[in-house]
Amino acid sequence: MASPRIEDLAASFRRHLRAAGKAEGTLRLYGQSIRFFCDWLTERGRPTTLDELTRHAIAAWLADLAERVDIETVRTRLRGMRRFCRWLEAEGEVDTAPTSGVEMPKPSEKPVRVLTDEELAALLKVCQVPRGRAGQFDRRIFDGRRDEVMLRLLADCGVRVSELAALTLGDLDQDREIAYVMGKGSRPRAVPYGARTGQAVDRYVRIRGAHRRAATTDRLLLGERGPMSPDGIRWRLEVLGQAAGVDGLHPHALRHTAAHRWLAAGGQERDLMHIMGWRSDSMLQVYARSTAVERAHAAHRRLGLGDRL
């Protein structure tokens, strides 16, 4: 009997995840792990069949991957493959999950990118444009107001880029200054934002109605052709970063910045978990560890113990 094709089993695995209510982002990440492993096999002239899915092959693939990408990507690929292999074992396709015995690489200690107050100010300044003529739709003003809302919601609320892209007008309670977002695993949560973010939202919503696509969608952020996608937001952030002289600007840098600013201001870790949509302490530890040194230095300056000697 011929060994089943990994691609066919991956399709069944995807249907299983859908039935379990897993988020599209989760399906995509798991699918990437399987597809990239199959690509690795193909590059070496090996068939993409189940009998090639062995512990030694997976370990060799990850070792090769580690030479080309950062350790967090390797960890993500292994997590996806582990989930797939556990499903294969549960379905009776294999006796033992092929990932059994493959150790998870230790997470990187590399500091996470956190924006300074000066960089945030520079980004917001780029969004400011001269006033246009009353009663006329000015694309520059629209883009500026939209970009400010985009930056403020990311840096103030720490929402994920996928959550930001999915926001609708109805998801915003402007009077209470709360955004209702749908997080990973289709888990909703209410995220508060500050008065300045609320002001930016109000100014943008007022001009949004004049956009030629406004009547066809209730999505909050609009681009030239309609609702902005996560990739569209990422691209726009790169443009803003280049204009403001802020290198390496991406949505996750703003999410890390939001978490750092919360913790540095003395915010409670459990409250941060709720706002960020984390269900385990592991993600909190990643974010807290990445900025612990800077917070410790700030605390030292604040306490001024040396000045009391």
Side-chain angles (χ1 to χ4, degrees):
M1 181 178 177
S3 179
R5 297 172 65 246
I6 295 176
E7 292 93 333
D8 295 336
L9 292 168
S12 294
F13 175 56
R14 183 179 180 84
R15 287 189 282 271
H16 161 76
L17 293 175
R18 282 189 178 280
K22 298 299 182 182
E24 282 297 323
T26 300
L27 270 63
R28 182 176 65 255
L29 285 175
Y30 289 171
Q32 286 175 343
S33 294
I34 301 168
R35 185 172 69 256
F36 293 156
F37 174 74
C38 288
D39 291 344
W40 181 83
L41 289 175
T42 300
E43 291 170 1
R44 282 149 184 78
R46 298 164 64 175
T48 56
T49 53
L50 186 58
D51 55 10
E52 292 287 341
L53 185 61
T54 66
R55 177 168 62 87
H56 295 296
I58 294 171
W61 166 57
L62 294 173
D64 182 66
L65 197 62
E67 296 180 359
R68 297 179 284 109
V69 300
D70 62 77
I71 199 66
E72 292 303 322
T73 300
V74 177
R75 287 168 58 85
T76 297
R77 299 298 171 233
L78 178 53
R79 278 194 292 268
M81 192 59 76
R82 276 182 172 177
R83 186 66 181 81
F84 176 53
C85 290
R86 286 198 300 267
W87 174 82
L88 289 173
E89 182 179 356
E91 290 291 306
E93 296 290 345
V94 296
D95 294 330
T96 304
T99 48
S100 178
V102 179
E103 295 185 5
M104 177 68 72
K106 293 182 179 180
S108 172
E109 295 294 332
K110 180 181 178 181
V112 179
R113 174 84 158 102
V114 172
L115 303 183
T116 65
D117 289 347
E118 292 74 20
E119 288 175 322
L120 289 171
L123 288 167
L124 291 173
K125 186 176 181 180
V126 168
C127 299
Q128 305 302 315
V129 296
R131 292 174 55 187
R133 298 179 61 182
Q136 292 186 352
F137 180 79
D138 189 314
R139 185 74 203 186
R140 295 178 306 156
I141 296 177
F142 176 87
D143 286 350
R145 291 187 182 182
R146 180 207 58 212
D147 292 346
E148 182 178 356
V149 166
M150 183 173 66
L151 285 168
R152 286 190 178 276
L153 286 176
L154 287 169
D156 188 1
C157 307
V159 295
R160 301 178 178 92
V161 65
S162 58
E163 296 169 347
L164 177 61
L167 276 178
T168 66
L169 293 173
D171 292 330
L172 297 177
D173 186 335
Q174 291 183 254
D175 292 328
R176 297 176 60 199
E177 296 176 341
I178 293 176
Y180 295 93
V181 303
M182 185 62 69
K184 289 185 175 181
S186 299
R187 294 188 294 269
R189 70 182 189 280
V191 182
Y193 53 81
R196 289 189 178 181
T197 299
Q199 181 183 47
V201 169
D202 178 76
R203 296 180 72 237
Y204 167 65
V205 169
R206 280 188 279 125
I207 197 175
R208 180 190 177 281
H211 191 286
R212 63 190 183 93
R213 300 287 187 182
T216 63
T217 178
D218 64 348
R219 293 268 289 279
L220 177 65
L221 298 181
L222 298 180
E224 178 66 27
R225 300 179 181 178
M228 294 183 72
S229 67
D231 284 341
I233 294 174
R234 293 187 186 95
W235 172 80
R236 189 61 187 170
L237 287 177
E238 290 180 6
V239 172
L240 294 173
Q242 291 173 0
V246 179
D247 296 330
L249 184 62
H250 55 85
H252 231 60
L254 289 162
R255 183 165 163 83
H256 276 282
T257 300
H260 167 70
R261 287 165 64 85
W262 175 278
L263 293 171
Q268 296 297 309
E269 294 183 349
R270 293 297 164 182
D271 292 338
L272 180 62
M273 285 184 64
H274 175 75
I275 290 175
M276 291 291 187
W278 299 326
R279 300 191 72 185
S280 69
D281 293 342
S282 59
M283 286 306 301
L284 176 62
Q285 291 168 2
V286 169
Y287 279 70
R289 182 179 64 245
S290 68
T291 56
V293 173
E294 185 173 343
R295 292 198 306 277
H297 289 179
H300 183 276
R301 289 190 294 269
R302 185 173 62 253
L303 293 172
L305 298 180
D307 297 335
R308 304 177 189 180
L309 298 176

